[in-house]
């Protein structure tokens, strides 16, 4: 690779990492529309065990839903591990862990632990956005393990 190609690769990886890192603070502060803008207009968020939100309006509605609002109001923290990012031209896949903590009485407990797969695309203006995110609970299921194993 040329120096320019190497630099573009690093810039793309950092842009994707920054995009994904916006999810947790925006989600835990209830910024539903800002969360939805992480995805393309027709993007999909498959929250295993809860819902499949298709399109920005549906993703925003999931963040504004009563269960999520109740979780936020009692205290919650969505924490994502640093993603493993694979680039393929204008497309990318990022894989990470997603951990949701919730406050119970005076302490926090782990509420959900999931494997998370992000599918992303570079827009015409160079911005990276998610086209799809799939979360699967790490409950012993093959599907969750397959998400993680795909980085091999």
């Amino acid at each position: 690779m040329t120096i320019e190609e190497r630099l573009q690769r690093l810039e793309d990886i950092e842009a994707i990492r920054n995009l994904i890192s916006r999810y947790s603070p925006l989600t835990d502060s209830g910024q539903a529309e800002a969360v939805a803008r992480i995805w393309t207009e027709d993007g999909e968020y498959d929250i295993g065990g809860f819902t499949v939100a298709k399109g920005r309006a549906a993703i925003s509605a999931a963040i504004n839903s009563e269960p999520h609002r109740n979780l936020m109001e009692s205290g919650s923290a969505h924490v994502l591990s640093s993603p493993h990012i694979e680039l393929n031209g204008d497309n990318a896949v990022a894989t990470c862990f997603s951990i949701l903590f919730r406050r119970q009485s005076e302490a926090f407990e782990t509420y959900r632990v999931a494997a998370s797969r992000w599918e992303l695309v570079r827009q015409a203006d160079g911005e990276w956005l998610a086209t799809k995110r799939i979360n699967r609970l790490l409950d012993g299921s093959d599907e969750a393990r397959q998400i993680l194993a795909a980085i091999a």
Side-chain angles (χ1 to χ4, degrees), residues 72-85:
M72 268 188 347
E73 289 168 6
S74 65
S76 65
H78 291 74
V79 179
L80 301 178
S81 68
S82 181
H84 174 269
I85 300 168

Side-chain angles (χ1 to χ4, degrees), residues 72-140:
M72 268 188 347
E73 289 168 6
S74 65
S76 65
H78 291 74
V79 179
L80 301 178
S81 68
S82 181
H84 174 269
I85 300 168
E86 295 180 14
L87 292 174
N88 185 12
D90 290 336
N91 296 288
V93 172
T95 305
C96 63
F97 291 100
S98 174
I99 304 167
L100 174 55
F101 297 98
R102 70 177 179 180
R103 188 166 182 248
Q104 293 291 310
S105 300
E106 296 302 312
F108 282 86
E109 70 176 12
T110 305
Y111 181 53
R112 287 175 56 95
V113 180
S116 190
R117 175 186 169 93
W118 296 76
E119 297 174 11
L120 306 109
V121 65
R122 184 195 336 255
Q123 304 299 292
D125 64 1
E127 179 185 23
W128 284 91
L129 294 175
T131 57
K132 187 173 191 176
R133 179 179 176 195
I134 302 169
N135 270 10
R136 289 297 177 264
L137 288 179
L138 287 164
D139 58 4

Side-chain angles (χ1 to χ4, degrees), residues 1 11-12 30 32-33 38 41 44 47 55 61 64 74-75 79 83-85 92-93 99 113-115 123 146:
M1 283 194 293
E11 288 177 349
D12 288 339
E33 290 180 17
I38 291 171
E41 280 292 334
E44 181 178 311
I47 310 168
N64 279 327
S74 65
V79 179
H84 174 269
I85 300 168
V93 172
I99 304 167
V113 180
Q123 304 299 292
Q146 288 170 0

